[in-house]
Amino acid sequence: MTRTPPLHLVGLGATGPEDVVFDGLGRVLTGVGDGRLLRIELPRTPGSAATVHEVGRTAGRPLGLEALPDGRLLVCDARRGLLRIDPDGTSAAEVLADSVAGTPLRFCSNAVAASDGTVYFTVSSRRYGLEHWLSDIVEHRPTGLLARLVPGGEPEVLLDELHFANGVALAPDESYLVVAETGARRLTRRWLTGPGAGGHDTFADDLPGFPDNMSRTPRGGFWVALASPRNPALEWLHRAAPPVRRATATATRHLPDLPPRAARVLEVDTRGRVVRRLRGAGERYRMATGVAEHAGRLVLGSLAEGAVAWCDLGEPGAV
């Protein structure tokens, strides 16, 4: 089911709120391109003012976030690795991991924490950094991974050879993880418990766009942000010979990134079925890379915009 809910924007005075999460009090947390972490109190009604406060800095480039039960925040920083910070603005970011399997974390992307304190996080690429993310998508080599960090332990690789590993979310019973492979337009499931523990399979495939960050819905399923709709030319290129893809990937470094103005998200149930598609006001917001729901409101983040977007799911046309 596709609907077009009206989107309302909260300007941040900075570009690139790539991910969005809610804290325990229903406030939105995000990180922007200048390294700041921001807390946003959404307005009660459209047209009213939101409040935006700085709650920390990473001295890098924050991407994926995870709010912890104790009030602290996990931050995947594209330059510094996996961080933890107390969003009271009084302490520096603590580095939890800056390498995995002896390789520096040059593109730490998204993280989720289990009830036992274990952190699962993704590395989008071991070949390119954030500045050249499009080159990785074009070259289409599986250099992303899913890693695990147990309390007091060292990071270990759970899944390797992923196509631009991005968003990650836990099942409601924590029996499996779902990882967004942006470059493959699919969601991959990694089993944590049960007879399939340690194995993986495809959770959802042939998505109508490129999946980015994910979050769990109050209904037990998953929201998936689609950074861009599918691109037939790119799909053709992915079938081309590796030298052609490499040459094209190099050329993309000199091209401006112009994603289409279309905010799209999917709701996927626990069986991997798409149960809802939302397409926001396409003229106002582009490249949805983060999505989260709380108390009937949906919030979007974007690597390309200078604002977060939100809508009430109960508004006409939203459900």
Side-chain angles (χ1 to χ4, degrees):
M1 187 185 311
T2 302
R3 295 290 187 266
T4 306
L7 292 180
H8 315 289
L9 305 187
V10 177
L12 303 177
T15 302
E18 195 265 351
D19 195 16
V20 285
V21 297
F22 284 95
D23 67 12
L25 297 177
R27 301 169 298 189
V28 178
L29 295 166
T30 192
V32 289
D34 60 13
R36 289 181 298 146
L37 300 170
L38 305 176
R39 183 168 60 212
I40 306 160
E41 295 189 34
L42 296 176
R44 293 183 180 273
T45 58
S48 301
T51 59
V52 181
H53 298 286
E54 179 181 328
V55 295
R57 293 176 180 254
T58 68
R61 200 331 177 176
L63 297 176
L65 308 176
E66 169 81 344
L68 298 173
D70 64 4
R72 291 184 293 180
L73 186 66
L74 288 177
V75 182
C76 291
D77 191 287
R79 302 188 179 101
R80 300 191 61 201
L82 180 65
L83 313 178
R84 183 169 59 200
I85 190 168
D86 190 343
D88 60 4
T90 61
S91 60
E94 173 189 4
V95 179
L96 299 181
D98 56 11
S99 65
V100 60
T103 302
L105 292 178
R106 64 182 302 171
F107 201 157
C108 189
S109 186
N110 202 256
V112 66
S115 57
D116 65 358
T118 299
V119 176
Y120 301 92
F121 63 96
T122 56
V123 177
S124 290
S125 174
R126 281 171 290 175
R127 182 169 173 81
Y128 296 99
L130 175 64
E131 293 76 8
H132 301 301
W133 65 267
L134 185 56
S135 294
D136 190 280
I137 298 293
V138 169
E139 189 168 341
H140 200 54
R141 288 178 57 187
T143 67
L145 58 85
L146 170 69
R148 172 172 60 193
L149 178 64
V150 300
E154 295 293 325
E156 58 178 323
V157 176
L158 290 187
L159 277 180
D160 206 346
E161 297 186 350
L162 301 177
H163 283 279
F164 205 89
N166 213 325
V168 59
L170 271 167
D173 62 359
E174 301 190 357
S175 61
Y176 61 84
L177 287 158
V178 179
V179 181
E181 288 190 78
T182 304
R185 289 193 296 108
R186 70 177 171 225
L187 306 179
T188 295
R189 174 170 48 193
R190 205 281 189 180
W191 289 98
L192 302 176
T193 63
H200 67 279
D201 56 20
T202 298
F203 187 69
D205 202 4
D206 195 27
L207 297 177
F210 294 89
D212 206 293
N213 290 324
M214 303 174 58
S215 62
R216 208 159 69 210
T217 77
R219 295 161 294 285
F222 308 96
W223 283 113
V224 183
L226 297 181
S228 173
R230 63 187 301 171
N231 184 315
L234 183 59
E235 292 172 32
W236 174 87
L237 185 62
H238 284 174
R239 297 189 293 270
V244 175
R245 300 200 307 269
R246 284 196 297 271
T248 308
T250 299
T252 62
R253 301 184 190 184
H254 308 291
L255 297 175
D257 173 33
L258 295 173
R261 286 193 177 275
R264 293 178 171 91
V265 297
L266 303 177
E267 183 178 357
V268 180
D269 67 15
T270 54
R271 297 176 62 183
R273 300 174 302 186
V274 176
V275 296
R276 179 158 46 168
R277 304 182 187 201
L278 298 182
R279 177 174 178 172
E283 296 303 316
R284 301 194 64 199
Y285 207 70
R286 77 167 80 224
M287 198 179 183
T289 53
V291 57
E293 178 186 350
H294 174 76
R297 282 189 169 179
L298 198 70
V299 177
L300 306 180
S302 168
L303 185 64
E305 294 281 3
V308 298
W310 65 273
C311 68
D312 283 320
L313 289 174
E315 291 186 41
V319 293

